[in-house]
Amino acid sequence: MKIISKETIISTAKNLLSDGIETNRKTITFPVTFNGELYYSKEAEIMENEGEMWTMYTVDGKQWLIRIEEKVYDLGIYPKVYTGD
């Protein structure tokens, strides 16, 4: 079984946040492929159903975090992603 690297997961999460996504939830669950593309990305050209689902979250609505192997990583501040309750 292949495992997606922590760097690929973090990079994909940051790309999703910086691409202008908006949500009224404090969590975002997203798929990551082994080459670091989102499943729904045209560039991914998925031939097989391979990848992993990951969840990032915010506590204050601005700073986004992700937990990988019991360690929390700071993804950065993206104040326009969380639109409120």
Side-chain angles (χ1 to χ4, degrees):
M1 179 176 155
K2 293 174 19 179
I3 297 176
I4 296 175
S5 72
K6 143 183 92 173
E7 293 80 10
T8 301
I9 296 164
I10 291 170
S11 171
T12 304
K14 286 182 177 183
N15 286 340
L16 183 61
L17 290 168
S18 63
D19 280 348
I21 189 170
E22 292 182 352
T23 183
N24 62 352
R25 305 186 84 168
K26 289 194 172 185
T27 62
I28 299 174
T29 301
F30 61 101
V32 180
T33 63
F34 291 99
N35 65 356
E37 298 292 342
L38 298 168
Y39 277 136
Y40 57 80
S41 170
K42 291 179 183 176
E43 291 81 25
E45 297 182 13
I46 305 299
M47 299 299 174
E48 297 179 33
N49 193 11
E50 292 186 349
E52 299 174 354
M53 296 297 289
W54 286 89
T55 300
M56 57 183 142
Y57 63 95
T58 182
V59 176
D60 64 2
K62 296 177 184 165
Q63 182 176 13
W64 287 84
L65 308 165
I66 191 165
R67 181 183 301 268
I68 303 171
E69 297 176 358
E70 302 304 318
K71 185 172 179 185
V72 176
Y73 295 89
D74 181 5
L75 299 172
I77 296 175
Y78 300 87
K80 295 181 180 180
V81 172
Y82 178 67
T83 59
D85 296 321

